[in-house]
Amino acid sequence: MPLPSKRSQLDIDVPALRGVTQDSRAVEAGFLFAALRGEAHDGYAYIPDALARGARVILTDKACDLGDDAAKAQCVVSDNPRQDFSYIAAQFYGRQPAHIAAVTGTNGKSSVVHFADQLWTALDESATYIGTLNNALTTPDPVSLFKTLAQMAGDGVSHVAIEASSHGLAQYRLDGAQITVAAFTNFSQDHLDYHTDMDNYFAAKARLFEELLPISGTAVLNADVPEYHEISVVCKKRGIRILSYGKQADDIVLRACTVSGVHQAVSLEIDGRSFDVKIPLVGEFQVMNILCALGCVIAEAPNDERRINKAVNALASIGGVPGRLQHVSDAQGLYHGYVDYAHTPDALKTVLNSLRPHTKGRLICVFGCGGDRDPSKRAMMGEIAAHLSDVVLITDDNPRSENPAIIREQIVGGIEDTAEGIEVVDDRRKAILRGVQSMGKDDIFLVAGKGHEQGQIIGDKILPFDDALELSNAFATKSNH
């Protein structure tokens, strides 16, 4: 496997290094230490510690005094040390899988990489994925990422799908990755606590197509979102092939999607050929995520009809993603609920609208908003939940260092005084239990915000908490009464 085409131009003998790290505590003799500026800490302050541990190279954005270590260490100054560190990490670890699909967008990234993994596996490819569901960070730091990719390649993995978060793209964590496919799902408000405004947020995601995807790659784009035009123009100017999906697409066209119990009947047109498949998941947005994944798989061989047929047929048995409209019911199948990671205004709106066609009775929603995150979305989410649900129980998500009562008040602030069916419950477990106890057999219950997460962050503690388990336990309690 060739090394990444984009490499650091700095005067560093990368093959001679014994390791690379941005954590001074991990430095060993012969390592490169990247002294990067973070939100809370400046790596420059840890240079003495790195030198004391035997660092051979210090990568930083300004000159540093090596003192007595000048004879055995090197200080390398970079205009963009984060980007150079990613290039260096990629070069140091070397091998990468032959096919890397990087998926960005506000919502749907985890689902797309999970679905792509399943489709590749159905095609007998050695595949996996990297993202929220199997990493602490959506997009890992460069050392973790490129070390993992090298291990995967060494183990024979040929295909990997990676979630490309806006943070990861803005911080150059993916620079140096040999991306063959870049996909875009959708765009709406999120992470403004970090990016400050929507323009910066979009610019971070657009980097994937403007800078990271090589001209030999393929852009898989959602044709039904406003951002399609801007990203497609960027790709066309660079000469990058576009594979579009959606109702307005040219390549993977969604002709129809109808509800069929807990399934959806989907009609597609791909390269002039029609396909009908029954997908065992609810929510049209799930279908869009599946089509994005299908695009990532087809992009490798867009003219291979046999391969396309096999991939489309695999959609009939595709498995759901943990915490993404995850179905939970009682033992008798009398009561039905869903757990979803929706923690942005657009995601909550999409999930509630997706569940409405499946709801014969009332749509009941339990949700909260995370602390130390964009506060401007809280009132918006309160308004959306009140408008699209019949019953809303506002509770806590991950309050972190914030006062949870204030977060709940800010959510309520977006709801009109005339709205009915609104209740504030200051304990997530109690809120789920209270909502389930009020259910009728035709009602649908949604627990939104935390999805697959296995803990609740309160202050500086992470307490065990699993929405799906709590909902299942609440159903069991109801069935026993």
Side-chain angles (χ1 to χ4, degrees):
M1 177 60 62
L3 292 172
S5 56
K6 290 188 177 181
R7 298 172 66 177
S8 173
Q9 300 302 308
L10 300 177
D11 183 21
I12 298 174
D13 186 358
V14 175
L17 295 172
R18 294 187 60 189
V20 295
T21 184
Q22 62 190 71
D23 184 347
S24 65
R25 296 167 298 182
V27 171
E28 297 178 17
F31 270 46
L32 176 145
F33 170 62
L36 306 177
R37 297 179 186 273
E39 293 181 72
H41 303 284
D42 186 349
Y44 196 85
Y46 297 92
I47 291 176
D49 180 50
L51 291 171
R53 294 173 185 268
R56 176 175 178 171
V57 179
I58 303 295
L59 175 64
T60 180
D61 61 355
K62 60 182 178 181
C64 54
D65 182 6
L66 298 178
D68 295 338
D69 296 294
K72 57 183 178 181
Q74 176 187 12
C75 180
V76 179
V77 179
S78 165
D79 292 334
N80 191 337
R82 285 190 177 276
Q83 185 176 50
D84 276 311
F85 182 54
S86 288
Y87 290 154
I88 291 166
Q91 184 181 351
F92 179 80
Y93 287 106
R95 299 184 67 185
Q96 297 181 23
H99 303 279
I100 298 179
V103 183
T104 197
T106 303
N107 301 307
K109 297 185 296 297
S110 296
S111 295
V112 172
V113 300
H114 199 277
F115 292 144
D117 176 34
Q118 292 185 58
L119 293 178
W120 277 324
T121 301
L123 293 173
D124 300 318
E125 308 284 8
S126 178
T128 188
Y129 65 92
I130 297 173
T132 305
L133 297 176
N134 57 7
N135 283 280
L137 293 176
T138 303
T139 305
D141 66 85
V143 172
S144 298
L145 175 62
F146 293 111
K147 182 178 181 180
T148 298
L149 289 175
Q151 290 173 339
M152 289 175 175
D155 291 339
V157 172
S158 57
H159 294 69
V160 60
I162 304 176
E163 289 187 56
S165 69
S166 58
H167 288 71
L169 289 165
Q171 294 172 8
Y172 305 95
R173 296 180 207 160
L174 277 165
D175 289 56
Q178 299 176 57
I179 297 169
T180 54
V181 175
F184 186 87
T185 58
N186 49 62
F187 184 73
S188 60
Q189 181 174 330
D190 198 13
H191 302 305
L192 296 192
D193 53 307
Y194 178 82
H195 297 288
T196 70
D197 60 43
M198 294 294 283
D199 287 341
N200 288 334
Y201 179 36
F202 181 74
K205 294 192 175 297
R207 277 201 71 234
L208 180 59
F209 304 91
E210 294 173 338
E211 302 175 32
L212 273 67
L213 180 64
I215 57 174
S216 59
T218 301
V220 176
L221 306 179
N222 184 347
D224 296 345
V225 297
E227 295 75 23
Y228 172 77
H229 175 72
E230 187 171 348
I231 297 176
S232 64
V233 167
V234 168
C235 293
K236 289 174 183 176
K237 284 183 177 179
R238 295 188 61 213
I240 292 172
R241 180 165 59 106
I242 295 172
L243 195 157
S244 60
Y245 68 94
K247 295 176 181 177
Q248 301 177 61
D250 295 321
D251 303 294
I252 303 177
V253 187
L254 178 60
R255 292 299 185 196
C257 179
T258 58
V259 172
S260 178
V262 293
H263 292 69
Q264 294 179 89
V266 175
S267 295
L268 302 176
E269 184 179 318
I270 303 174
D271 195 24
R273 295 187 297 142
S274 297
F275 298 87
D276 293 304
V277 61
K278 197 171 185 180
I279 295 176
L281 299 171
V282 301
E284 187 172 305
F285 75 94
Q286 293 270 56
V287 173
M288 291 297 289
N289 290 334
I290 286 171
L291 296 189
C292 183
L294 182 62
C296 291
V297 172
I298 289 176
E300 181 183 341
N303 299 316
D304 188 336
E305 293 188 2
R306 183 177 178 183
R307 194 168 187 271
I308 292 173
N309 291 344
K310 192 171 182 179
V312 173
N313 289 337
L315 300 182
S317 56
I318 201 160
V321 181
R324 272 62 176 178
L325 269 187
Q326 180 179 347
H327 181 228
V328 179
S329 66
D330 67 313
Q332 291 75 36
L334 300 175
Y335 302 99
H336 299 273
Y338 292 87
V339 171
D340 195 85
Y341 192 51
H343 59 280
T344 68
D346 185 66
L348 185 61
K349 179 180 179 180
T350 298
V351 169
L352 288 169
N353 280 333
S354 295
L355 288 176
R356 179 57 72 180
H358 299 270
T359 307
K360 296 179 181 179
R362 299 175 304 162
L363 183 52
I364 303 170
C365 176
V366 168
F367 86 104
C369 290
D372 302 332
R373 298 294 186 269
D374 179 13
S376 67
K377 67 183 181 182
R378 295 169 185 171
M380 297 168 62
M381 292 179 69
E383 179 183 15
I384 289 168
H387 180 65
L388 298 178
S389 309
D390 300 300
V391 177
V392 181
L393 292 96
I394 297 167
T395 188
D396 302 330
D397 191 294
N398 293 315
R400 298 184 176 85
S401 70
E402 286 195 61
N403 183 333
I406 293 177
I407 297 176
R408 295 193 299 269
E409 288 175 5
Q410 291 175 339
I411 296 172
V412 174
I415 301 173
E416 296 181 6
D417 293 337
T418 55
E420 298 180 356
I422 311 297
E423 185 176 357
V424 177
V425 182
D426 64 358
D427 179 279
R428 194 172 182 89
R429 183 174 287 108
K430 290 180 181 177
I432 293 172
L433 184 60
R434 186 170 302 182
V436 166
Q437 292 300 326
S438 72
M439 282 185 73
K441 293 179 181 178
D442 288 332
D443 296 342
I444 293 291
F445 195 97
L446 171 67
V447 185
K450 289 171 56 57
H452 65 285
E453 294 177 355
Q454 297 295 297
Q456 187 174 26
I457 307 172
I458 301 176
D460 58 358
K461 297 180 180 179
I462 302 178
L463 305 178
F465 202 97
D466 181 332
D467 276 355
L469 179 60
E470 294 298 332
L471 183 55
S472 180
N473 289 341
F475 279 145
T477 301
K478 185 176 180 66
S479 297
N480 291 333
H481 289 80

